[in-house]
Amino acid sequence: MNHHLKTIVMLACCLIYGIASGQVPGKLYESPFYGKNGIVRFDPVTAKHIVCPELNMAEENPGTYFALTDFNTMINVRVADNLAVQDFEIIDRLVFFCGHNLSNEGFLGWFHIDSLFYHNSSAHVDATLIALGITDLQNIEVYHDNSELIHIAGYGLKLNYLAFEAFGDLTSMTYRILELPKTGPRARIVDLAITDNYVVLLQHDQGPCYQKNGFGIALHPFPKNDMFPPTPPYHYYAFQTVPYTTGYTYSGCVGMPFVLPLNDDPCHGTNPLVTHIKDNEIMVCSYRRDFDLSSWQGHFEPPCDGDGTPCGGQMTGYIATSLALRSYNLSPLAIGNPILMTSAIHTLMPDDDVLSLDGFEYDQSSEHYIALHRQEISGIDEHAVTTFDFSLGTPLTAHSSYQTFYDTHTQWLPHSLCLTPNNEYTVCGHSNLSSNYEYIFWHNSVFATSPSECDKIVSYPIDGLPLDVCKDELNYRTPSPWLPLVFIGQSQVKETIDVSKICE
């Protein structure tokens, strides 16, 4: 082998190793279009990203915008007026989007990607959801059913939370809803996932005291292609992820017992998220904080009536903070058995306050989970992208990437996460350095375990958690009748601008 050929082979090997070991550097991009709290999705056909920010209330007539970008240029289209988009999903060459208008009426809309961005066609919006009392359609998933028709599963708000389904094609689509039981004043439906056979809604259960601490989750499963069978009840399954102990007052009402949670999981104010793994398995990610029991204020004054209350006093201290991952198998539902929790771990992180869990995805080909989350570290609010590598079994450590070129404390705020091909991910956020809230994008490899010019990486240890057995609950409500969706074309305005690479 001659010298030049050896050099080429050596360089090729280095490149392959660099890709496999995550040494391809992450990149930070910026676009001057308004992008506050943008949602990002990847379009596999064009290999470009589609993004949608929240309504720009600084405009006299707030506009609803979608943009298409390859990180070289960005096409930005105003598709409608006064529609707050909560979620959107891509199927074939279509984008379906949902949310509410400024009158608190839910909506569902769609547009053709190529027609909207390249041929000046319009988006189409249905505004009839209020006929069933839907004030907000908050989250959707879109897929083909057994007949290759478009099927939309989701959830939203009426007086309480509701499950939503629609199916058909662009010329004829109908929808219906099922109201969900309210298990407590602070129970919220916060996410959904689609498995091979089921739609599953994730509920965050919170207690009424100790800073509204979380005490578990509930999973509402429905058949994937005909969500609401004609005869209730519909089963759902509660998992208590928080163990309890008993504390006794030491002054005033001496000896009165109180039930004390040992941790806060899912942590108050940080909704858990769910992602599909494979077959009928899902993974739920949550923030978890362990209480310092010595911080409980067990001091109560008379009158002391009854045998005590379920909870009371103040729990102010914490001794550990972590991200928890719990997997569940829905396959037993096929033979009438309940959902099983199959694994549970958590990674210990800095013991400061937690703020939000903003994205959670599973890269199936590399067996990596990716979480976008925000917490306070030494008095500073910072976002991290934390990856969990399950390719060799349960990992011993998780790796968190923190921005250093544009820090997420004062310079930009991440908001949304999506996966792209080649085992990579993209984070979408907005700049805090101007009043226009320009788009910021962070694009990186899921394999990254060493820092680049744009970020630092910190490793955190992983430990196991006990498995929980579910409690089978019943929903006796009946679904609404089917109603037609009526999509009306909207006017649009388009402009194009360059995207700048600001760090690599």
Side-chain angles (χ1 to χ4, degrees), residues 207-371:
C209 47
Y210 306 124
Q211 305 176 15
K212 306 182 182 68
N213 72 283
F215 61 83
I217 67 163
L219 299 173
H220 296 255
F222 299 99
K224 183 175 178 179
N225 293 320
D226 187 10
M227 287 176 59
F228 314 135
T231 306
Y234 305 100
H235 292 255
Y236 64 102
Y237 303 90
F239 291 85
Q240 181 181 312
T241 55
V242 173
Y244 287 80
T245 188
T246 303
Y248 295 90
T249 53
Y250 51 79
S251 64
C253 305
V254 177
M256 179 179 288
F258 286 88
V259 177
L260 306 180
L262 299 183
N263 52 56
D264 184 4
D265 182 4
C267 191
H268 70 281
T270 61
N271 291 324
L273 297 176
V274 61
T275 190
H276 178 223
I277 306 173
K278 62 179 181 179
D279 302 327
N280 289 305
E281 298 176 47
I282 59 173
M283 183 75 82
V284 174
C285 179
S286 64
Y287 255 129
R288 171 190 178 95
R289 304 195 75 195
D290 293 338
F291 285 119
D292 179 2
L293 290 181
S294 66
S295 71
W296 180 58
Q297 304 298 310
H299 177 89
F300 293 89
E301 298 298 336
C304 308
D305 42 347
D307 296 324
T309 58
C311 54
Q314 294 294 321
M315 205 89 77
T316 58
Y318 297 91
I319 56 174
T321 300
S322 58
L323 277 178
L325 300 186
R326 294 179 173 90
S327 61
Y328 301 84
N329 190 347
L330 280 66
S331 295
L333 295 173
I335 56 174
N337 289 332
I339 296 172
L340 292 175
M341 181 190 290
T342 53
S343 70
I345 62 167
H346 66 139
T347 178
L348 294 172
M349 310 193 83
D351 187 22
D352 288 315
D353 200 8
V354 299
L355 300 168
S356 61
L357 184 57
D358 301 294
F360 182 54
E361 301 286 350
Y362 179 61
D363 186 50
Q364 191 172 55
S365 65
S366 69
E367 299 182 78
H368 279 64
Y369 295 92
I370 305 98

Side-chain angles (χ1 to χ4, degrees), residues 3 21 26 30 70 103 105 220 232 291 312 321 323 328 334 377 435 486:
H3 174 73
S21 59
E30 185 172 29
D70 59 1
S103 300
E105 298 172 341
H220 296 255
F291 285 119
T321 300
L323 277 178
Y328 301 84
I377 300 176
S435 59
V486 183

Side-chain angles (χ1 to χ4, degrees), residues 11-208:
L11 290 173
C13 291
C14 289
L15 178 61
I16 293 170
Y17 175 79
I19 293 172
S21 59
Q23 299 306 305
V24 174
K27 302 176 181 67
L28 203 61
Y29 300 92
E30 185 172 29
S31 167
F33 282 130
Y34 171 83
K36 187 174 183 181
N37 293 333
I39 305 168
V40 62
R41 301 286 183 260
F42 182 77
D43 175 27
V45 174
T46 62
K48 297 179 181 181
H49 290 78
I50 297 176
V51 288
C52 177
E54 68 177 34
L55 273 176
N56 187 355
M57 300 307 294
E59 295 181 325
E60 183 177 350
N61 184 25
T64 305
Y65 293 87
F66 279 86
L68 179 75
T69 183
D70 59 1
F71 298 145
N72 292 307
T73 60
M74 176 177 277
I75 303 172
N76 196 42
V77 180
R78 179 175 175 136
V79 302
D81 300 334
N82 304 318
L83 299 181
V85 175
Q86 300 279 60
D87 187 30
F88 72 90
E89 299 295 338
I90 300 171
I91 183 171
D92 303 325
R93 305 307 301 130
L94 302 173
V95 167
F96 281 86
F97 57 101
C98 66
H100 63 271
N101 62 23
L102 296 184
S103 300
N104 290 320
E105 298 172 341
F107 74 84
L108 178 69
W110 66 269
F111 61 81
H112 189 282
I113 295 172
D114 303 320
S115 297
L116 183 84
F117 290 111
Y118 299 117
H119 303 297
N120 299 319
S121 294
S122 299
H124 306 266
V125 175
D126 172 276
T128 68
L129 301 187
I130 196 63
L132 289 180
I134 303 175
T135 58
D136 193 10
L137 187 55
Q138 297 181 329
N139 200 339
I140 55 173
E141 293 287 345
V142 187
Y143 51 95
H144 289 293
D145 67 13
N146 294 332
S147 302
E148 289 302 309
L149 294 173
I150 296 170
H151 199 106
I152 303 173
Y155 63 83
L157 287 174
K158 192 175 177 182
L159 293 176
N160 298 321
Y161 280 91
L162 56 91
F164 173 93
E165 74 167 329
F167 83 99
D169 56 35
L170 297 183
T171 63
S172 177
M173 187 171 287
T174 58
Y175 76 101
R176 63 177 176 170
I177 63 172
L178 174 72
E179 292 190 55
L180 301 175
K182 196 171 181 63
T183 58
R186 296 183 178 90
R188 304 178 68 239
I189 304 296
V190 295
D191 203 6
L192 82 158
I194 307 297
T195 74
D196 286 5
N197 301 106
Y198 300 98
V199 173
V200 57
L201 307 185
L202 173 64
Q203 177 178 299
H204 182 187
D205 286 330
Q206 299 182 79

Side-chain angles (χ1 to χ4, degrees), residues 359-433:
F360 182 54
E361 301 286 350
Y362 179 61
D363 186 50
Q364 191 172 55
S365 65
S366 69
E367 299 182 78
H368 279 64
Y369 295 92
I370 305 98
L372 173 66
H373 56 101
R374 189 172 185 84
Q375 69 186 84
E376 181 183 298
I377 300 176
S378 301
I380 296 176
D381 296 350
E382 280 286 9
H383 259 93
V385 177
T386 298
T387 57
F388 302 81
D389 179 4
F390 277 76
S391 61
L392 299 177
T394 303
L396 299 178
T397 57
H399 304 284
S400 295
S401 165
Y402 297 89
Q403 287 294 299
T404 54
F405 186 86
Y406 265 12
D407 71 74
T408 62
H409 171 51
T410 59
Q411 295 177 302
W412 76 288
L413 182 67
H415 182 73
S416 179
L417 169 75
C418 74
L419 292 177
T420 69
N422 304 317
N423 309 118
E424 295 173 340
Y425 64 84
T426 298
V427 173
C428 176
H430 64 261
S431 170
N432 288 328
L433 299 178

